[in-house]
């Protein structure tokens, strides 16, 4: 996750700000879940595909939505965004409604 963290932040922040939120959301490591991880070229290959789900948040950990992101990771190291799917947008509490678009 540390290797991919900057890429995850970039993808999620670009989606939410300014389309959904007036502020850039934060991503906490404990709000990232690995959904699937596979080795693409069999047991001898070093090209991996990893799918994660992330819940970006505002304020003190108030989740604003849920996204699924797939990366291809290979030796180098290099990473390539394969797919980004926005799964849900959550309703914010009253005190944070002003930050919604």
């Amino acid at each position: 996750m540390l290797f991919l963290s900057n890429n995850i932040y970039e993808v999620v922040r670009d989606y939410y700000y300014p389309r959904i939120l007036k502020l850039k959301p934060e991503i906490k490591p404990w709000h990232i879940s690995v959904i699937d991880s596979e080795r693409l070229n069999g047991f001898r290959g070093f090209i991996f595909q990893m799918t994660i789900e992330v819940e970006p948040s505002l304020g003190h950990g108030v989740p604003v939505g849920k996204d699924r992101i797939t990366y291809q990771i290979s030796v180098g190291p290099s990473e390539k965004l394969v797919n980004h799917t926005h799964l849900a947008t959550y309703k914010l509490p009253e005190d944070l409604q002003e930050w919604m678009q």
Side-chain angles (χ1 to χ4, degrees):
M1 288 305 106
L2 292 177
F3 174 69
L4 289 175
S5 63
N6 288 334
N7 296 323
I8 295 168
Y9 295 150
E10 183 179 316
V11 168
V12 171
R13 286 181 181 160
D14 288 348
Y15 183 82
Y16 283 88
Y17 174 81
R19 183 179 306 159
I20 297 172
L21 300 171
K22 295 178 184 176
L23 292 175
K24 293 180 182 178
E26 300 174 351
I27 300 172
K28 307 292 184 194
W30 49 89
H31 287 156
I32 300 173
S33 301
V34 176
I35 301 302
D36 185 42
S37 178
E38 63 180 298
R39 191 174 239 164
L40 296 180
N41 294 333
F43 75 97
R44 291 182 184 231
F46 291 101
I47 300 174
F48 300 90
Q49 185 162 301
M50 180 179 283
T51 302
I52 61 167
E53 281 187 1
V54 60
E55 286 187 313
S57 59
L58 278 182
H60 296 287
V62 177
V64 295
K66 189 174 203 173
D67 295 85
R68 182 171 288 157
I69 304 170
T70 302
Y71 285 102
Q72 183 174 322
I73 305 161
S74 61
V75 176
S78 69
E79 66 286 330
K80 180 175 94 174
L81 177 67
V82 175
N83 189 28
H84 171 235
T85 305
H86 178 69
L87 300 175
T89 301
Y90 301 152
K91 184 175 178 180
L92 294 178
E94 292 293 324
D95 59 330
L96 293 175
Q97 283 293 320
E98 65 186 275
W99 302 112
M100 293 291 288
Q101 290 289 9

